[in-house]
């Protein structure tokens, strides 16, 4: 299929100008030469966003709106019970209740919306969009956010899947040897069908034993005209204190979009991102002329400097957690970067969707 961009590119011919998305001078009779700038659209997301960027780019190629594109992408993941870090199937708080956070920003209209500690809605990003579209506010939380969502027609559903509940029960049992919660091994009642569904006992604890599993999806996009939008959505840190809000729904922390400059979002330890207003910092660094990769790495260095608590540092004095930024600028340059090596992010550009390695500050000791 010939897209408008590929047609424009073909007419521009291959060369440095085409590679930069700069079309040759179009001369109307008697008019001065006009240089039209076109951007190569690109959509990026956290590593769990390959399906999201694929869907978002389909919307962009159908000339859809940038916010619609990223929302159509991330809602696939929000509704997927297999992804335990986002939406339906997300891991619950310490009381076993799934509480979701999300924010959205629409570059062309400078719109923003967000929800936090939202219970019972599979796709909180769509409620964040409704906050932007149907209220004079930016941020709704808790029961008020849920009542608003219900009024907008979002069904209230049970978000705790059997798998998420099983992992929560296991975590609760290992909380302390001073409480009355016990594992089946301790009660000697290690029977195969203690939980319904998949056999419990084996494999209940994942590689996060001792650490709190977390995860999020962030997705942002720039289209051919240089318009930008972004969304971040999460169930936050597993086993969190009820009411805990991370960076994801906080405009400037887990997401920031300035249609004149670029977009950025984050995943990882939200507390560190909030304290450094991470995504806004990245966009401001890009405004100052930095490439997205350098801007992300500089914002990550600020987190390292802010991390002085011994409990959050390893033997080398470095953060014992990671944070990832995903940034795209108005020219279509993009990057993912993390504190620690090994992270990947999802990219869709030029008809190709792939994971790419994130830039990083540190490599773990071998
Ligand atoms: N940033 C999310 C939060 O702190 C969690 C994550 O991305 O892993 O809520």
């Amino acid at each position: 299929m010939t897209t408008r961009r590929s047609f424009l590119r073909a007419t521009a011919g291959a060369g440095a100008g085409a590679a930069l998305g700069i079309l040759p001078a179009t001369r109307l009779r008697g008019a001065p030469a006009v240089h039209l700038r076109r951007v190569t659209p690109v959509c990026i997301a956290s590593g769990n966003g390959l399906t999201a960027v694929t869907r978002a780019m389909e919307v962009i190629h159908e000339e859809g709106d940038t916010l619609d594109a990223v929302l159509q992408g991330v809602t696939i993941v929000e509704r997927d019970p297999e992804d335990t870090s986002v939406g339906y199937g997300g891991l619950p708080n310490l009381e076993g209740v799934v509480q979701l956070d999300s924010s959205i920003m629409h570059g062309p209209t400078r719109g923003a919306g967000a929800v936090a500690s939202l219970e019972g809605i599979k796709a909180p990003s769509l409620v964040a969009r409704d906050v932007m579209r149907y209220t004079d506010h930016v941020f709704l939380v808790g029961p008020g956010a849920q009542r608003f969502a219900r009024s907008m027609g979002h069904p209230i559903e049970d978000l705790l899947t059997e798998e998420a509940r099983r992992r929560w029960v296991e975590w609760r049992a290992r909380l302390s040897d001073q409480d009355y919660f016990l594992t089946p091994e301790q009660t000697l009642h290690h029977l195969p069908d203690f939980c319904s569904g998949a056999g419990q006992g084996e494999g209940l604890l994942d590689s996060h034993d001792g650490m709190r599993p977390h995860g999020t999806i962030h997705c942002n996009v720039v289209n051919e005209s240089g318009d930008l939008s972004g969304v971040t959505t999460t169930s936050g840190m597993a086993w969190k204190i009820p009411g805990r809000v991370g960076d994801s729904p906080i405009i400037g922390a887990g997401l920031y979009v300035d249609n004149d400059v670029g977009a950025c979002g984050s995943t990882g330890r939200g507390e560190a991102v909030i304290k450094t207003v991470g995504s806004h910092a990245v966009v401001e660094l890009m405004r100052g002329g930095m490439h997205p990769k350098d801007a992300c790495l500089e914002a990550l260095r600020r987190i390292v400097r802010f991390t002085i608590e011994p409990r959050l540092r390893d033997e080398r004095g470095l953060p014992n957690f990671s944070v990832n930024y995903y940034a795209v600028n108005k020219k279509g340059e993009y990057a993912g970067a993390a504190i620690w090596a090994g992270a990947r992010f999802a990219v869709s550009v030029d008809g190709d969707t792939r994971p790419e390695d994130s830039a990083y500050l540190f490599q773990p000791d071998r």
Side-chain angles (χ1 to χ4, degrees):
M1 197 179 81
T2 307
T3 63
R4 205 166 119 221
R5 187 176 56 73
S6 61
F7 169 74
L8 289 171
R9 270 201 157 183
T11 55
L20 287 169
I22 302 168
L23 297 180
T26 309
R27 201 174 265 276
L28 300 175
R29 216 174 311 154
V34 177
H35 287 271
L36 297 173
R37 272 179 180 274
R38 291 285 168 192
V39 176
T40 299
V42 57
C43 183
I44 64 172
S46 40
N48 54 349
L50 279 170
T51 50
V53 294
T54 306
R55 177 64 199 134
M57 282 306 263
E58 286 168 7
V59 177
I60 292 297
H61 287 310
E62 289 154 12
E63 309 215 346
D65 174 72
T66 49
L67 181 59
D68 197 35
V70 291
L71 285 172
Q72 288 205 33
V74 301
T75 49
I76 298 170
V77 184
E78 287 180 319
R79 293 186 171 120
D80 177 2
E82 301 292 315
D83 191 316
T84 57
S85 71
V86 180
Y88 177 50
L91 294 176
N93 65 19
L94 69 76
E95 291 172 348
V97 177
V98 180
Q99 293 188 318
L100 304 177
D101 299 340
S102 180
S103 60
I104 55 106
M105 288 189 80
H106 184 232
T109 59
R110 273 70 178 171
V115 289
S117 294
L118 178 63
E119 297 175 13
I121 310 279
K122 280 185 176 164
S125 64
L126 298 182
V127 184
R129 181 195 56 185
D130 284 347
V131 172
M132 178 186 80
R133 280 163 110 190
Y134 292 100
T135 78
D136 185 37
H137 308 315
V138 167
F139 201 177
L140 298 181
V141 304
Q146 193 197 56
R147 285 200 292 280
F148 169 74
R150 191 197 292 267
S151 79
M152 299 307 303
H154 296 272
I156 311 296
E157 297 169 87
D158 184 2
L159 303 187
L160 190 66
T161 57
E162 187 52 27
E163 168 64 11
R165 191 186 67 78
R166 205 164 65 96
R167 288 176 60 178
W168 170 65
V169 165
E170 176 73 9
W171 167 79
R172 187 179 65 177
R174 291 177 191 271
L175 258 184
S176 155
D177 58 6
Q178 305 297 310
D179 64 28
Y180 296 104
F181 296 120
L182 298 172
T183 63
E185 290 90 332
Q186 289 168 309
T187 61
L188 305 181
H189 291 290
H190 188 181
L191 302 175
D193 56 355
F194 164 72
C195 292
S196 58
Q200 65 84 43
E202 47 175 299
L204 272 183
L205 274 189
D206 56 21
S207 57
H208 301 289
D209 190 7
M211 286 172 57
R212 281 152 212 268
H214 50 87
T216 297
I217 182 164
H218 167 75
C219 183
N220 63 43
V221 72
V222 59
N223 71 8
E224 194 183 48
S225 311
D227 284 330
L228 297 133
S229 285
V231 55
T232 305
T233 179
T234 190
S235 50
M237 278 190 182
W239 337 133
K240 61 193 174 187
I241 296 173
R244 178 266 185 185
V245 173
D247 56 326
S248 307
I250 298 180
I251 301 295
L255 173 70
Y256 199 67
V257 178
D258 183 331
N259 213 53
D260 294 336
V261 179
C264 181
S266 61
T267 61
R269 185 180 157 79
E271 282 72 7
V273 177
I274 294 171
K275 288 202 282 183
T276 53
V277 201
S279 293
H280 183 260
V282 172
V283 171
E284 290 309 302
L285 291 163
M286 294 196 293
R287 190 194 307 278
M290 274 192 186
H291 185 278
K293 176 177 151 195
D294 300 320
C296 290
L297 289 172
E298 176 53 25
L300 292 169
R301 278 185 210 104
R302 291 184 187 177
I303 289 179
V304 176
R305 286 198 294 276
F306 258 68
T307 306
I308 58 169
E309 304 94 322
R311 71 187 166 84
L312 295 175
R313 293 163 64 140
D314 68 10
E315 323 71 57
R316 289 197 276 164
L318 301 175
N320 60 15
F321 57 85
S322 202
V323 165
N324 309 263
Y325 286 124
Y326 314 91
V328 61
N329 67 18
K330 203 170 170 62
K331 292 189 276 185
E333 296 167 328
Y334 64 89
I339 295 179
W340 291 101
R344 308 194 91 191
F345 66 109
V347 181
S348 187
V349 63
D350 270 332
D352 184 32
T353 296
R354 56 182 180 259
E356 285 191 20
D357 291 337
S358 298
Y360 57 88
L361 294 180
F362 310 116
Q363 264 189 315
D365 276 341
R366 290 177 192 273

